[in-house]
Amino acid sequence: MRKKLRIYVPFINAGMQETTTYRVNWLFYMFGNVLGCFISYFIWNAVYNSSENSTMNGFTMPQMIVYIFLMFLTSTLVSSGGTYDIGEEIRDGSIAMRLIKPISYNATFLFQELGNKAMTICILIVPMVVGVEIVRFNFTGAVQFNILYFLLYLVSCVLAYLINFFFNICFGFIAFVIKYLWGANLMKNCIVGFLSGQTIPLAFMPEVLEKVFLILPFASLNYTPVMIYIGMYNGTTLLYFLGLQVFWALFFWGLSKLLWSVSVKYLAVQGG
Amino acid sequence: MKLLRRMFRMHRIFVVQELKRMTEYKSDFIIGIIGFLLAQLTNLLFIWIIFSQIPSLLGWSISQIVFIYGFSLIPKGIDHLLFDNLWSIGYFIVRKGDFDKYLTRPINTLFHIMVEKFQLDALGELIMGVALICVTLPIVGIEWSIAKILLALAVIPFATLIYVGIKTATAAIAFWTKRSGNIIYMFYMVNDFAKYPATIYNNFVKNIITYIIPFAFTAFYPAKYILTGENPLFNIGMTVIMSVILMFIGVVIWNKGINAYESAGS
């Protein structure tokens, strides 16, 4: 087992080097994305100021702030870029280089991406969580940080990442058929963004829709970890949603295996 | 004048060329438009759900907010349709050394880059923008006058120039750094602030989007004038001034950048 894992260490290193080479670019990109959080913050601020109720669908203003910023953190942590890579590699034939090696195709992607993420994890988690906790402290006058919820949040994020990783691999096969990866990806991101609560908490949807969306795999991507962190889920509810995450992770893992074994049979790489 | 005629003729040739390419890849074209339509649709759902909680947002009604949102998509869409190629400068044209091609041609480089691509994906934004304006116009109760109609139409190209100026200036940074795509991205993302009334932001943010990265003039201020008829000198006049200043800065940086450009070593 240890030896098996050691094979993948170079992939982690390669991933880390990839991000550190373009770190200034990465910072600009992140900053551009954080701006979106501030827009949401100001809109919600105005909404709570315009409303007579201090709680909306179970969310108070400080909880909403935590929600906005943690949603950004979570979606960055669990993001996965397999969609582009697989389609591109099939098209230009470089997939052959991965196939002739005695290692798992998916695992090489997984480890490369973990390396990619190392910097994101180091730079983002601490300031985001500290910032969010300071805001909460300011509003309520008490330290709200709960180490148990935080650890469960991390567990939930790992599960969410696995779901996203295998989901994106499945989508990568479809996107390859569509060909216009950029457009297909934009469509996917919109739909996933909405159904996973990035646009608005699912609790704000009409009740029937909320129930359906909670079962769909997208809620498991971002919504579940964030709700766990805020402390919205307790006891059996919490276990139910974690279990649902495990189920979806296994489901997409199986589906990606199936799609892979079907399509690798038809794969033809021309030239060299 | 002769130069202008020549430029228009060339633009037409480039557009026709792009349209031919589009008919070759019809499904790409449809997927792109649907993608951008969906992106706007989720934002609208957000607005709609928010307004199911409150009667008005700091005095703005839902139809007014949607009108401002729809108006913001028009200059954004036009910029996206005609001047999308500036992104490629920042992401790969300079880095790969492909910019050499433009330097060897007898056309102004900036003009050439701009007209080379015709991005039909933008129709997603334009269709949505026009639709939202049409739906909300009868509800928001605007008092029309001929002057207002003329001003409303005249302000659109200037609002578009704000986008073009900011993109040109930030894309040109690539001439020094080889890659500036993410810098364009960072500045471009500020435009999302402009889709909502500037009054919801604190003074710091408001000053930035008004005077420093003045995207507020691409949507909120002109739309506010159309809605309320208030202060045309500021709402419309400043849009014109800002766009001219930004375009000027953009061209200056671009020209300086070309002198600094050294092709990628092969």
Side-chain angles (χ1 to χ4, degrees):
Chain A
M1 184 68 197
R2 262 201 35 213
K3 200 177 155 211
K4 254 188 138 176
L5 277 177
R6 226 181 34 226
I7 304 174
Y8 296 105
V9 171
F11 287 95
I12 300 183
N13 284 333
M16 268 152 74
Q17 277 164 16
E18 238 169 54
T19 25
T20 42
T21 317
Y22 296 113
R23 57 189 174 278
V24 179
N25 263 297
W26 180 89
L27 278 176
F28 281 126
Y29 180 72
M30 275 301 147
F31 192 78
N33 284 338
V34 174
L35 287 179
C37 292
F38 282 96
I39 300 175
S40 303
Y41 162 76
F42 283 111
I43 294 173
W44 281 112
N45 194 22
V47 169
Y48 276 90
N49 282 337
S50 306
S51 169
E52 287 157 6
N53 310 322
S54 61
T55 308
M56 274 183 230
N57 292 314
F59 282 83
T60 60
M61 181 63 193
Q63 277 172 330
M64 190 53 94
I65 297 174
V66 177
Y67 183 90
I68 294 164
F69 285 91
L70 270 189
M71 190 46 109
F72 168 71
L73 175 67
T74 313
S75 57
T76 313
L77 289 182
V78 308
S79 69
S80 176
T83 319
Y84 269 106
D85 299 341
I86 289 187
E88 279 301 313
E89 290 205 354
I90 296 177
R91 201 184 306 209
D92 66 16
S94 60
I95 196 170
M97 292 312 291
R98 287 190 195 252
L99 285 171
I100 56 170
K101 287 171 190 150
I103 43 180
S104 154
Y105 179 76
N106 285 346
T108 56
F109 267 124
L110 187 73
F111 284 98
Q112 202 171 339
E113 201 160 63
L114 287 181
N116 268 328
K117 282 205 180 302
M119 191 161 84
T120 318
I121 294 169
C122 295
I123 296 182
L124 275 185
I125 285 193
V126 175
M128 277 289 185
V129 169
V130 170
V132 153
E133 288 308 327
I134 290 173
V135 171
R136 278 218 277 198
F137 182 79
N138 264 343
F139 266 95
T140 56
V143 180
Q144 303 273 320
F145 184 72
N146 185 324
I147 187 79
L148 179 69
Y149 284 142
F150 180 67
L151 291 175
L152 281 169
Y153 165 77
L154 291 181
V155 171
S156 182
C157 277
V158 171
L159 286 169
Y161 172 70
L162 289 174
I163 299 172
N164 207 13
F165 179 78
F166 290 116
F167 171 77
N168 270 315
I169 287 185
C170 297
F171 185 79
F173 288 111
I174 302 166
F176 179 63
V177 179
I178 303 178
K179 286 201 185 77
Y180 188 34
L181 288 174
W182 201 83
N185 219 29
L186 179 72
M187 265 164 83
K188 185 202 76 178
N189 288 342
C190 288
I191 296 169
V192 172
F194 190 74
L195 295 181
S196 69
Q198 274 180 42
T199 320
I200 198 163
L202 297 182
F204 280 73
M205 308 271 172
E207 215 179 321
V208 188
L209 284 182
E210 187 199 345
K211 279 198 176 120
V212 176
F213 290 171
L214 279 177
I215 298 171
L216 292 179
F218 308 109
S220 290
L221 285 182
N222 300 320
Y223 196 61
T224 305
V226 176
M227 292 299 266
I228 289 176
Y229 185 97
I230 305 179
M232 294 286 202
Y233 291 158
N234 279 310
T236 44
T237 338
L238 199 150
L239 285 176
Y240 166 75
F241 282 110
L242 281 177
L244 197 64
Q245 279 192 306
V246 174
F247 167 75
W248 282 120
L250 289 172
F251 175 84
F252 283 111
W253 173 71
L255 191 65
S256 70
K257 280 255 181 248
L258 185 74
L259 284 172
W260 171 245
S261 62
V262 170
S263 54
V264 85
K265 273 190 201 131
Y266 294 102
L267 179 72
V269 176
Q270 276 119 17
Chain B
M1 204 58 218
K2 208 174 139 199
L3 179 75
L4 210 64
R5 242 199 345 259
R6 180 160 167 261
M7 282 165 99
F8 271 115
R9 203 172 69 91
M10 258 176 334
H11 188 211
R12 210 177 54 235
I13 295 169
F14 277 113
V15 168
V16 169
Q17 207 55 35
E18 271 294 301
L19 286 176
K20 280 185 199 155
R21 207 179 62 85
M22 277 295 171
T23 47
E24 188 78 28
Y25 299 102
K26 274 194 210 80
S27 60
D28 286 10
F29 161 64
I30 292 164
I31 290 166
I33 291 183
I34 296 177
F36 276 96
L37 270 177
L38 268 179
Q40 305 312 328
L41 209 65
T42 54
N43 280 334
L44 281 175
L45 278 171
F46 173 66
I47 295 175
W48 183 66
I49 291 172
I50 275 183
F51 271 93
S52 66
Q53 305 288 325
I54 47 173
S56 77
L57 189 68
L58 301 181
W60 298 91
S61 71
I62 183 165
S63 46
Q64 285 175 318
I65 297 269
V66 172
F67 177 82
I68 297 171
Y69 192 95
F71 187 87
S72 81
L73 293 178
I74 303 292
K76 189 180 180 172
I78 297 175
D79 162 68
H80 188 182
L81 183 75
L82 298 176
F83 311 114
D84 202 49
N85 213 19
L86 286 167
W87 288 96
S88 323
I89 290 282
Y91 277 115
F92 53 83
I93 290 181
V94 171
R95 190 162 48 95
K96 291 189 173 168
D98 291 343
F99 193 72
D100 297 4
K101 175 179 106 185
Y102 301 94
L103 289 170
T104 59
R105 305 226 168 130
I107 325 175
N108 178 287
T109 48
L110 184 57
F111 174 74
H112 190 180
I113 291 281
M114 284 174 172
V115 297
E116 194 180 37
K117 213 165 162 193
F118 189 66
Q119 186 54 276
L120 280 172
D121 285 2
L123 289 181
E125 283 158 342
L126 287 171
I127 293 168
M128 187 61 106
V130 171
L132 293 180
I133 291 175
C134 291
V135 170
T136 49
L137 259 189
I139 319 171
V140 286
I142 297 172
E143 286 173 36
W144 287 107
S145 65
I146 293 170
K148 201 180 206 177
I149 294 172
L150 289 177
L151 277 178
L153 290 175
V155 80
I156 290 173
F158 290 102
T160 310
L161 275 187
I162 293 180
Y163 277 94
V164 185
I166 289 175
K167 268 165 66 185
T168 308
T170 46
I173 295 174
F175 291 125
W176 287 278
T177 63
K178 303 282 179 240
R179 217 173 127 136
S180 68
N182 286 347
I183 301 178
I184 311 178
Y185 179 77
M186 189 180 82
F187 278 88
Y188 189 81
M189 286 308 276
V190 176
N191 89 76
D192 279 342
F193 281 91
K195 293 174 179 167
Y196 304 99
T199 38
I200 70 170
Y201 304 116
N202 64 17
N203 279 332
F204 177 71
V205 174
K206 204 156 98 183
N207 285 330
I208 286 185
I209 60 171
T210 308
Y211 299 109
I212 300 181
I213 313 171
F215 274 118
F217 288 104
T218 64
F220 172 63
Y221 289 124
K224 186 182 167 199
Y225 166 71
I226 299 170
L227 285 171
T228 62
E230 281 169 16
N231 215 346
L233 214 57
F234 178 78
N235 289 328
I236 302 293
M238 274 298 269
T239 309
V240 175
I241 293 170
M242 282 295 179
S243 71
V244 172
I245 293 175
L246 279 170
M247 208 52 227
F248 179 74
I249 295 174
V251 172
V252 167
I253 297 182
W254 180 271
N255 287 336
K256 274 204 179 335
I258 287 180
N259 290 329
Y261 172 72
E262 33 187 45
S263 186
S266 67

